[in-house]
């Protein structure tokens, strides 16, 4: 069988654009068989879960808002592959994918979406408010999760456990004032925070060119070093996340990653 | 350290006054000398006088001993001590805000804390409320116990989304999975001459939101006990101080000096017993209510003054019990009238058993429904004064 042939393979990955960095992540990634199968399984499950949610939403079995992650699976899976479950993560409302990678089960997620007691928040949270261990949601207010994420990073530094916080936001949120306030404090206090902008080309319904004077989101951190990463390649995302995590854990302070993706 | 300054000051004042009195040899006058500002202790002075006669000792000696036991502590110092003790007790507690560290606090409430605890636990922030309030909430979610200071609650409006949507609602939205043990504190309400944008009272705004506890201390004892309770509480607590009260000294009993002295959140205190009318208030207005009650007592009207201590959860039961005794009610607050604390109290009384005991409609005494003006005469007339409280009491009592 193919399994006997080799347990791993090496792939060339796209070079990342860098901002205020000497060098970027490596240009080659090694993928083992187990990892490959695990990433594939998770991404496929995520895709199926999101498409099913879409159906249920159209049938009005899921009410209110339902922000789906299908198309962006490589981001969530790649990021998780680059950190540990003991690290922390927070994102905005397009959170189902992260709920899954952070330890939630499909059953809990779908029960939550359909407002059932067996849901991850007992039906009280809904699509945008799901939580697991070291995963702080699921946040409805655009941009509000970014200072929260830096606060989690502050706690990581304070408690001295060598953990970091991955703090995600979208291209729409990237223009929020509170994010710039957060960049300032995270940089001043050297918080172990990886800021990740998931640029899926649209902020709600508005395209990035119409919303942002500068669409180089990885440079918007100014004094914070940045990377622009191909968000459709799980290995690219993984290597970039490992690179960023190394940067944070070595005490250099925050770093910013822009994942170019699509939904 | 500042406690000892206080004692020394009181000692010298009392010492000289006592000597003059003994010289005059007028025990009657001496008995009516007020040792404290707010809590008049004439009986204590009689005891001092009697003891001094009995033991053939100068009354001033007894007085000094009693003054040392009956410490005069300002609200500022009470808050400072409370934070100091809680920082010492729990490693996870830390303070962040503008000027809290190296400047010793914009109003010196955090004086000496940075020197004692250092950069890790007392953090100076840039002037970015939304950012640092969010950081504080995130730190609370991840297991720390932050005290987030707003220089005044007016600036909390910039961060109000983090207070309400990120802090207050999270425990419920996560079905109890994610708690947010944070305290937001700072001066609230009118100050002196700071004009419209720096004088708003936020008791009603925060009191409106489920998921928050909202506390409004008056005296030094309130400040100490309630701040300790707030810091130990696992819920987000909004702690509304008052800038004009920071320098006011109060007697503090020995019990209240203990490191585990806690005042339960959600329980009001009856500051003055009375049976003609119930006067409910919070924060600085309690002082005015007590002053008004003293004036009214001379005319034979005995007011029962209730210090709410907590805005949310409101101690409706205490107010109802009082109203069922006195049959009359007024509320006094510094904030605006519409949709305010007074309005809530009146609504609760209407909905509860106490309504049947009212002999007259309950009335609210509030700040005037305008943005706070600057000119002193206008500002003075924009907040309740003693005469307004007296007027409302008399009107309610038809006296």
């Amino acid at each position: 069988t193919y399994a006997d042939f080799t347990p791993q393979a090496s792939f060339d990955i796209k070079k990342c654009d860098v901002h205020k960095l000497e060098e970027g992540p490596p240009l080659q990634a090694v993928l083992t068989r187990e990892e490959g199968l695990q990433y594939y399984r998770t991404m496929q499950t995520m895709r199926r879960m999101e498409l099913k949610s879409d159906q249920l939403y159209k049938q009005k079995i899921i009410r209110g808002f339902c922000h789906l992650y299908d198309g962006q699976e490589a981001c969530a899976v790649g990021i998780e592959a680059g950190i540990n479950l003991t690290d922390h993560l927070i994102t905005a409302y397009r959170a189902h994918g992260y709920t899954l990678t952070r330890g939630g089960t499909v059953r809990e997620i779908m029960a939550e979406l359909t407002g059932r007691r067996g849901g991850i928040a007992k039906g009280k949270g809904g699509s945008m408010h799901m939580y697991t261990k070291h995963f702080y949601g699921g946040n409805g207010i655009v941009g509000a999760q970014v200072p929260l994420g830096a606060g989690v990073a502050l706690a990581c530094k304070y408690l001295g456990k060598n953990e970091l916080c991955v703090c995600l936001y979208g291209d729409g949120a990237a223009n929020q004032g509170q994010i710039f306030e957060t960049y300032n404090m995270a940089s001043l206090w050297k918080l172990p925070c990886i800021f990740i902008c998931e640029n899926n080309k649209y902020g709600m319904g508005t395209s990035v060119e119409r919303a942002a004077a500068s669409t180089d989101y990885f440079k918007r951190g100014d004094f914070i070093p940045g990377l622009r990463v191909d968000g459709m390649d799980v290995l690219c995302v993984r290597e970039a996340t490992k690179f960023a995590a190394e940067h944070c854990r070595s005490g250099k302070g925050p770093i910013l990653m822009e994942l170019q993706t699509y939904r | 350290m500042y406690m000892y300054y206080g004692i020394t000051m009181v000692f010298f004042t009392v010492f000289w006054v006592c000597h003059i009195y003994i010289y005059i040899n007028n025990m009657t006058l001496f008995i009516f000398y007020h040792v404290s500002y707010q809590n008049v202790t004439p009986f204590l002075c009689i005891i001092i006088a009697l003891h001094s006669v009995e033991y053939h000792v100068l009354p001033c000696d007894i007085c000094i001993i009693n003054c040392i036991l009956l410490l005069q502590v300002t609200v500022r110092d009470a808050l400072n001590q409370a934070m100091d003790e809680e920082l010492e007790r729990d490693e996870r507690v830390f303070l962040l805000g503008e000027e809290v560290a190296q400047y010793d606090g914009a109003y010196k409430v955090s004086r000496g804390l940075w020197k004692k605890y250092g950069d890790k636990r007392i953090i100076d922030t840039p002037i970015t409320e939304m950012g640092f309030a969010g950081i504080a909430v995130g730190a609370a979610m991840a297991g720390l116990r932050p005290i987030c200071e707003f220089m005044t609650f007016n600036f909390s409006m910039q961060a109000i989304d983090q207070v309400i949507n990120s802090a207050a609602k999270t425990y419920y939205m996560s079905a109890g999975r994610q708690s947010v043990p944070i305290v937001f504190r700072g001066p609230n309400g009118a100050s002196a001459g700071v004009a419209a944008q720096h004088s708003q009272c936020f008791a009603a705004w925060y009191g409106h939101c489920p998921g928050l506890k909202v506390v409004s201390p008056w005296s030094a004892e309130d400040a100490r006990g309630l701040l300790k309770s707030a810091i130990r509480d696992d819920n987000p607590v909004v702690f509304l101080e008052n800038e004009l009260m920071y320098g006011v000294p109060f007697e503090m009993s020995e019990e209240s000096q203990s490191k585990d002295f806690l005042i339960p959140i959600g329980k009001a205190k009856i500051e003055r017993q009375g049976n003609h009318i119930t006067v409910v208030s919070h924060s600085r207005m309690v002082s005015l209510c007590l002053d008004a009650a003293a004036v009214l007592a001379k005319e034979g009207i005995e007011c029962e003054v209730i210090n709410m201590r907590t805005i949310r959860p409101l101690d409706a039961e205490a107010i109802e019990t009082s109203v069922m005794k006195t049959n009359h009610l007024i509320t006094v607050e510094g904030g605006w009238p519409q949709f305010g604390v007074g309005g809530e109290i009146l609504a609760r009384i209407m909905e509860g058993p106490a309504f049947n005991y009212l002999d007259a409609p309950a009335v609210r005494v509030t700040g005037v429904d305008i943005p706070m003006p600057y000119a002193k005469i206008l500002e003075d007339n924009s907040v309740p004064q003693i005469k307004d409280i007296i007027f409302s009491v008399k009107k309610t009592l038809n006296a």
Side-chain angles (χ1 to χ4, degrees):
Chain A
T1 68
Y2 288 113
D4 303 327
F5 192 67
T6 175
Q8 65 185 47
S10 198
F11 295 88
D12 291 330
I13 53 176
K14 214 179 187 175
K15 186 167 194 273
C16 297
D17 296 324
V18 295
H19 169 72
K20 298 238 165 102
L21 279 167
E22 297 279 294
E23 42 160 35
L27 296 169
Q28 280 222 320
V30 172
L31 181 68
T32 70
R33 190 161 194 283
E34 289 77 43
E35 284 170 353
L37 285 172
Q38 188 230 316
Y39 300 162
Y40 180 70
R41 174 171 234 104
T42 315
M43 288 195 281
Q44 256 296 17
T45 309
M46 216 183 278
R47 174 68 62 99
R48 298 288 292 272
M49 182 179 77
E50 294 297 86
L51 291 180
K52 193 65 193 172
S53 302
D54 190 27
Q55 266 186 8
L56 291 172
Y57 187 67
K58 286 175 174 138
Q59 293 173 281
K60 297 204 199 314
I61 293 169
I62 296 176
R63 307 179 312 122
F65 295 116
C66 190
H67 301 107
L68 298 171
Y69 204 66
D70 54 298
Q72 298 183 216
E73 296 87 353
C75 295
V77 173
I79 290 168
E80 196 59 51
I83 57 173
N84 310 313
L85 274 171
T86 49
D87 291 317
H88 306 255
L89 192 143
I90 189 170
T91 185
Y93 48 65
R94 202 171 299 281
H96 306 160
Y98 293 99
T99 317
L100 195 63
T101 54
R102 286 260 110 192
T105 63
V106 176
R107 185 197 185 90
E108 281 178 320
I109 294 170
M110 306 233 49
E112 185 62 34
L113 288 171
T114 50
R116 279 158 168 67
R117 199 170 26 193
I120 206 164
K122 300 187 185 158
K124 289 183 178 178
S127 168
M128 298 183 288
H129 308 296
M130 301 192 190
Y131 303 79
T132 70
K133 188 155 193 259
H134 289 207
F135 174 56
Y136 306 88
N139 288 279
I141 306 297
V142 172
Q145 77 277 10
V146 180
L148 294 179
V152 173
L154 177 76
C156 290
K157 186 174 179 184
Y158 190 105
L159 295 167
K161 290 191 249 178
N162 198 27
E163 292 165 2
L164 52 80
C165 183
V166 175
C167 182
L168 292 128
Y169 56 94
D171 50 274
N175 300 312
Q176 275 259 323
Q178 55 187 319
I179 293 186
F180 294 91
E181 295 185 15
T182 310
Y183 290 158
N184 182 40
M185 286 183 272
S187 201
L188 264 177
W189 302 334
K190 295 231 177 322
L191 301 180
C193 194
I194 305 176
F195 294 110
I196 301 186
C197 177
E198 286 176 297
N199 180 3
N200 57 22
K201 314 280 192 285
Y202 287 86
M204 296 201 297
T206 304
S207 74
V208 292
E209 295 78 35
R210 292 183 55 231
S214 160
T215 53
D216 288 333
Y217 296 103
F218 71 112
K219 291 186 183 169
R220 300 282 289 276
D222 188 13
F223 35 78
I224 297 182
L227 291 171
R228 181 158 52 196
V229 181
D230 178 6
M232 299 309 263
D233 180 350
V234 66
L235 291 176
C236 213
V237 176
R238 184 186 78 179
E239 292 309 309
T241 308
K242 280 187 180 167
F243 177 86
E246 173 56 44
H247 183 273
C248 281
R249 283 191 231 274
S250 64
K252 292 186 191 144
I255 187 167
L256 207 158
M257 271 165 58
E258 177 189 338
L259 303 178
Q260 297 208 298
T261 179
Y262 194 72
R263 60 164 157 103
Chain B
M1 198 196 146
Y2 294 87
M3 263 166 30
Y4 299 133
Y5 279 180
I7 297 168
T8 319
M9 291 297 286
V10 176
F11 166 83
F12 277 115
T13 323
V14 168
F15 183 79
W16 283 112
V17 173
C18 284
H19 270 268
I20 293 163
Y21 277 139
I22 286 150
Y23 213 80
I24 298 171
N25 197 27
N26 191 334
M27 278 302 162
T28 325
L29 260 179
F30 183 75
I31 287 165
F32 290 104
Y33 171 64
H34 297 276
V35 176
S36 68
Y37 273 72
Q38 299 295 336
N39 296 319
V40 174
T41 55
F43 291 115
L44 179 61
C45 298
I46 296 170
I47 292 165
I48 293 169
L50 289 172
H51 278 168
S52 47
V53 167
E54 198 186 318
Y55 298 126
H56 302 288
V57 171
L58 290 173
C60 55
D61 296 328
I62 310 278
C63 224
I64 289 158
I65 295 162
N66 276 290
C67 288
I68 290 166
L69 288 174
L70 235 66
L71 273 172
Q72 289 258 312
V73 180
T74 61
V75 172
R76 177 185 286 113
D77 290 338
L79 292 166
N80 185 281
Q81 282 164 25
M83 283 199 285
D84 190 357
E85 287 166 13
E86 293 305 303
L87 281 157
E88 194 172 9
R89 175 182 178 270
D90 190 341
E91 269 289 301
R92 301 168 297 170
V93 177
F94 71 100
L95 173 67
L96 91 170
E98 294 157 12
E99 313 296 348
V100 294
Q102 299 190 13
Y103 196 77
D104 270 340
Y107 299 98
K108 306 300 179 203
V109 178
S110 55
R111 179 165 42 205
L113 295 178
W114 175 68
K115 225 174 183 171
K116 185 171 176 186
Y117 296 101
D119 283 327
K120 181 182 172 185
R121 304 193 61 203
I122 311 291
I123 303 175
D124 272 336
T125 62
I127 309 171
T128 51
E129 275 78 7
M130 199 165 185
F132 73 70
I135 284 179
V137 175
M141 287 179 176
L144 298 182
R145 301 188 76 91
I147 306 169
C148 177
E149 178 176 306
F150 290 119
M151 200 180 281
T152 76
F153 267 93
N154 299 285
F155 315 133
S156 76
M157 253 203 287
Q158 302 223 287
I160 202 162
D161 175 66
Q162 297 289 358
V163 177
I164 307 301
N165 281 318
S166 301
K169 295 179 184 173
T170 295
Y171 190 71
Y172 186 89
M173 291 194 301
S174 66
R177 200 168 188 149
Q178 179 66 65
S179 66
V180 187
I182 189 169
V183 176
F184 296 102
R185 51 160 289 272
N188 175 57
S191 178
V194 291
Q197 292 179 344
H198 291 74
S199 306
Q200 190 171 333
C201 175
F202 286 82
W205 282 34
Y206 288 119
H208 186 60
C209 300
L212 279 182
K213 290 193 179 174
V214 182
V215 161
S216 184
W218 164 61
S219 64
E221 185 180 301
D222 288 354
R224 184 183 160 77
L226 288 170
L227 185 54
K228 280 163 131 3
S229 293
I231 293 169
R232 297 188 195 189
D233 199 312
D234 289 335
N235 294 292
V237 181
V238 169
F239 194 88
L240 304 170
E241 301 162 5
N242 188 294
E243 201 222 313
L244 298 171
M245 293 303 289
Y246 281 152
V248 178
F250 288 84
E251 246 170 54
M252 285 192 64
S253 63
E254 221 182 291
E255 184 221 344
S256 65
Q257 294 294 307
S258 131
K259 290 204 168 158
D260 284 314
F261 173 70
L262 300 171
I263 292 179
I265 295 178
K267 288 270 164 267
K269 183 183 178 201
I270 298 176
E271 297 289 350
R272 183 188 195 283
Q273 298 271 358
N275 35 34
H276 295 137
I277 183 167
T278 302
V279 179
V280 182
S281 185
H282 71 98
S283 191
R284 190 175 84 88
M285 290 293 138
V286 176
S287 299
L288 274 79
C289 292
L290 288 170
D291 291 342
V295 172
L296 287 161
K298 294 194 193 124
E299 297 177 37
I301 299 173
E302 294 298 326
C303 300
E304 179 143 295
V305 178
I306 299 183
N307 170 11
M308 289 172 72
R309 286 180 160 177
T310 304
I311 306 287
R312 184 181 181 109
L314 188 66
D315 192 355
E317 209 185 304
I319 303 172
E320 281 168 354
T321 310
S322 178
V323 170
M324 293 198 278
K325 180 174 83 170
T326 65
N327 308 121
H328 298 86
L329 172 66
I330 70 161
T331 66
V332 183
E333 67 193 287
W336 291 321
Q338 300 196 43
F339 306 93
V341 173
E344 175 63 23
I345 293 171
L346 266 49
R348 296 267 188 120
I349 294 293
M350 290 259 279
E351 291 171 351
F355 173 70
N356 293 312
Y357 291 77
L358 280 174
D359 287 346
V363 159
R364 305 169 287 179
V365 178
T366 69
V368 178
D369 198 19
I370 54 168
M372 182 66 74
Y374 167 66
K376 188 165 195 333
I377 185 128
L378 293 177
E379 185 182 53
D380 288 345
N381 286 285
S382 301
V383 287
Q385 299 172 70
I386 296 174
K387 64 174 171 68
D388 300 315
I389 302 170
I390 293 173
F391 177 79
S392 276
V393 167
K394 287 188 172 169
K395 188 154 181 236
T396 306
L397 288 171
N398 236 343

